[in-house]
Amino acid sequence: MSRSLATYGVSYNGRVDPLLGRPLDGFYCPEVKTLGRVNSRRFNATFTLKLETANRSCVMRDWRSYADLVVYGALSDILQGKRDEAFRLYFHLLSMWDGNGFRDRAFSGVYQSYKCALFVYLYRALGEPGEGRSVYLSCSRILTMLQSKDGGIVTGYKVKNGRIIPIGDPNTETTSMTAIAFLGFPKDD
């Protein structure tokens, strides 16, 4: 993946870097940059490649209100050997779990699958602590239920009468995060 990104002059994006083994130096507002266009003969279409990156001129002060950013913060702390800080963020993340998914500031009625994948990764990175095991099992079940027939993971879901209702389509980002969550090796210094 790093070589593919390097083709476009990108090595890290300042947001998901802890998943790639690089700690963050802060939290910044997202900014979307257009990298270029790719023509696909298979789909007879031209796709625009975009990258979400950190806008370093805009410090994000409310990052603890977003489940995904809390995970990145905790993973960054682990990479820097700050396990106590990582656990503080982990317990804060657990407080966002409402029994069905992570209800954070971005929640708008549809749970985001990738946040479950990020939780699974962090849970493993912290050595599978006893507290949060039920959330880990729930996220594992949810992600399994959201796997489409072609193998991809659907981006969102709702819960009705205890049933997981997929919302959206499978995409590369969510599927990749899920694969990393279950098959990646969290780095712990």
Side-chain angles (χ1 to χ4, degrees):
M1 177 169 72
S2 296
R3 277 183 286 179
S4 297
L5 290 173
T7 304
Y8 295 96
V10 177
S11 57
Y12 296 96
N13 80 340
R15 296 184 63 77
V16 302
D17 298 356
L19 287 177
L20 302 172
R22 181 177 176 176
L24 296 172
D25 63 357
F27 287 89
Y28 305 95
C29 303
E31 177 180 28
V32 177
K33 294 181 179 181
T34 299
L35 299 178
R37 297 171 70 81
V38 174
N39 294 314
S40 170
R41 284 183 279 211
R42 180 178 180 194
F43 295 107
N44 192 26
T46 299
F47 297 98
T48 302
L49 297 175
K50 295 185 178 191
L51 172 71
E52 182 177 302
T53 188
N55 177 349
R56 296 193 179 279
S57 67
C58 177
V59 175
M60 193 171 187
R61 304 209 187 287
D62 64 347
W63 65 269
R64 287 177 190 84
S65 301
Y66 300 90
D68 54 339
L69 300 183
V70 170
V71 170
Y72 298 140
L75 291 172
S76 187
D77 285 341
I78 290 170
L79 289 168
Q80 297 173 71
K82 301 181 207 171
R83 288 188 65 77
D84 289 345
E85 288 89 343
F87 269 104
R88 271 193 282 284
L89 289 173
Y90 174 75
F91 290 124
H92 176 62
L93 179 65
L94 285 175
S95 75
M96 293 182 190
W97 180 257
D98 70 1
N100 295 312
F102 291 97
R103 192 178 288 250
D104 61 6
R105 181 169 285 168
F107 181 76
S108 63
V110 175
Y111 297 104
Q112 297 304 303
S113 311
Y114 80 96
K115 292 178 184 180
C116 262
L118 289 173
F119 177 84
V120 167
Y121 189 82
L122 177 60
Y123 178 80
R124 291 181 58 233
L126 290 171
E128 300 185 10
E131 192 161 349
R133 175 114 178 113
S134 63
V135 176
Y136 167 78
L137 293 172
S138 292
C139 280
S140 298
R141 182 179 64 81
I142 289 165
L143 291 167
T144 299
M145 301 289 291
L146 293 173
Q147 186 170 17
S148 66
K149 290 178 182 171
D150 68 1
I153 305 297
V154 176
T155 57
Y157 65 97
K158 288 187 176 188
V159 179
K160 282 194 177 175
N161 301 322
R163 267 190 49 235
I164 305 298
I165 314 288
I167 305 288
D169 296 308
N171 76 4
T172 304
E173 180 182 16
T174 304
T175 303
S176 298
M177 285 187 168
T178 301
I180 290 169
F182 288 106
L183 302 174
F185 295 101
K187 184 180 183 324
D188 185 1
D189 289 343

